[in-house]
Amino acid sequence: MRILVTGASGYVGSELVPRLLADGHQVRALGRDGGRVRVALERTRTGEHGPEAEVLRGDALTGEGLERALEGVQVAYYLIHSMERPRDSFTGPFQERERIAAHTFAAAAAQAGIGRIVYLGGLQGQAGARPSRHLCSREEVEAILLDAVADSVALRASIVIAARSRSFRLLVHLVERLPVLTLPAWRNFRTQPIDGRDVTEMLAAAATADVGGRPLDAAGDEVLSYGEMLSRIADVMLINRPSLGFGVSVTPLTARLAAAIAGEDPDLVVPLMEGLQGDLLAGEDRASEALGVELHSFDSAVEHALCEWETFDRLAAR
């Protein structure tokens, strides 16, 4: 099967491409910077050189290169997210950027006769919770893509535990750099973190599984509060971090402070933390069951992610 992976220079895309190649698919890897895509794919290459992906340059926002990239493709992965400050002339809010890119890609995919789009989005909040800009945007992109190609599928994931997952790296840096984990009210909200290896397996299986036309919740088995996650990460890192909670969130302030401590882009961290306004839990449509993926435990996911992290970056506290 010929498959297109957009966002191939990112963490998820660069992990997925070799997994699809191992399954015998012909893979095109698309990104706005072909050089960055090649570097990312080389980082994930293991063992002897086998089949390689065809690397193409394209932009879902402008539509540049999409016709060529989608030609002859049966399944297209949409792994594009745009919360950070853009590197081009677009000056609008990230929600508008994501909406335009999704509409552009959806129209091109429908025109090309693609059989399925696979989208990786985010778990939605519980009924009654005030949705964040980030989660609203994820839901809107999901609807655009699923409406364009009827047999498409969306995987909705919470925080992904992996060495190059930006959300996980934020948590690890907070554990590393804060002698006392001073946590706002969102520390008590719960979610279901998932191992990055499991996400890759689910995405790969979604290319051919009979799951089209609906979203599936890609969640781990364990329900943990954000405070519990930080404590468990500290335990795996073998460091003692006492915690101190306070009763308000003050998200714009705490998010920017967290970004500064972790060395992350506040344009990424602020929208993510805006989503911490309630529990983010899976519903009945579980991707692990529908796609036959056996889940790793949270501690196993953290240990694997930290071990991989240390192959390319030093962890001061470990």
Side-chain angles (χ1 to χ4, degrees):
M1 179 180 291
R2 181 172 285 115
I3 293 176
L4 173 68
V5 177
T6 68
S9 64
Y11 152 61
V12 175
S14 62
E15 292 286 340
L16 178 61
V17 167
R19 179 65 182 79
L20 294 171
L21 289 170
D23 281 349
H25 299 297
Q26 295 175 287
V27 181
R28 286 179 182 154
L30 185 73
R32 289 187 298 167
D33 184 333
R36 288 184 63 200
V37 173
R38 291 184 181 89
V39 169
L41 295 182
E42 187 61 34
R43 187 188 299 122
T44 57
R45 184 184 296 278
T46 58
E48 297 182 0
H49 282 208
E52 295 189 10
E54 178 186 5
V55 176
L56 297 177
R57 183 182 180 280
D59 189 341
L61 190 66
T62 65
E64 177 189 0
L66 292 187
E67 182 178 358
R68 165 72 181 90
L70 289 163
E71 184 179 356
V73 166
Q74 286 81 48
V75 174
Y77 285 85
Y78 192 83
L79 306 176
I80 298 171
H81 300 303
S82 310
M83 286 191 297
E84 293 176 279
R85 188 177 295 110
R87 294 173 298 177
D88 51 35
S89 60
F90 186 87
T91 59
F94 78 85
Q95 309 99 296
E96 181 65 17
R97 184 185 183 90
E98 293 209 326
R99 182 183 305 115
I100 293 171
H103 276 300
T104 302
F105 186 84
Q111 179 66 30
I114 299 300
R116 171 174 291 179
I117 299 172
V118 181
Y119 172 59
L120 180 62
L123 280 180
Q124 296 299 306
Q126 303 300 295
R130 184 165 61 91
S132 68
R133 295 178 298 158
H134 162 57
L135 293 179
C136 283
S137 179
R138 293 288 186 266
E139 188 172 29
E140 183 178 18
V141 170
E142 175 186 297
I144 291 168
L145 298 175
L146 267 63
D147 286 348
V149 177
D151 196 45
S152 297
V153 59
L155 300 185
R156 296 172 168 177
S158 178
I159 180 171
V160 177
I161 308 301
R164 292 192 295 124
S165 162
R166 300 285 291 277
S167 298
F168 176 68
R169 291 178 70 85
L170 172 65
L171 296 184
V172 171
H173 283 316
L174 292 178
V175 169
E176 265 195 312
R177 299 171 185 178
L178 287 174
V180 176
L181 295 175
T182 307
L183 304 176
W186 53 253
R187 69 189 180 279
N188 294 318
F189 296 140
R190 303 172 301 157
T191 191
Q192 291 172 257
I194 185 167
D195 193 316
R197 294 170 292 181
D198 299 337
V199 172
T200 300
E201 288 301 311
M202 291 175 184
L203 286 168
T208 57
D210 185 17
V211 292
R214 60 189 172 123
L216 296 169
D217 288 342
D221 276 339
E222 296 178 74
V223 176
L224 298 171
S225 71
Y226 290 92
E228 288 170 333
M229 278 193 281
L230 286 164
S231 178
R232 296 268 287 271
I233 290 170
D235 287 344
V236 175
M237 296 177 73
L238 304 177
I239 57 177
N240 179 36
R241 288 291 185 264
S243 62
L244 175 65
F246 54 99
V248 295
S249 288
V250 200
T251 297
L253 175 62
T254 57
R256 292 187 180 279
L257 179 60
I261 292 169
E264 273 288 1
D265 186 343
D267 286 343
L268 172 71
V269 176
V270 171
L272 286 176
M273 285 198 173
E274 283 177 350
L276 304 182
Q277 301 181 42
D279 293 342
L280 295 175
L281 302 175
E284 295 182 358
D285 288 334
R286 300 293 185 92
S288 57
E289 298 173 3
L291 299 170
V293 174
E294 186 174 349
L295 297 170
H296 291 84
S297 70
F298 177 77
D299 289 343
S300 172
V302 172
E303 183 63 46
H304 180 269
L306 293 177
C307 287
E308 183 179 345
W309 187 325
E310 290 183 307
T311 66
F312 59 83
D313 193 9
R314 181 173 177 268
L315 278 166
R318 187 163 160 87

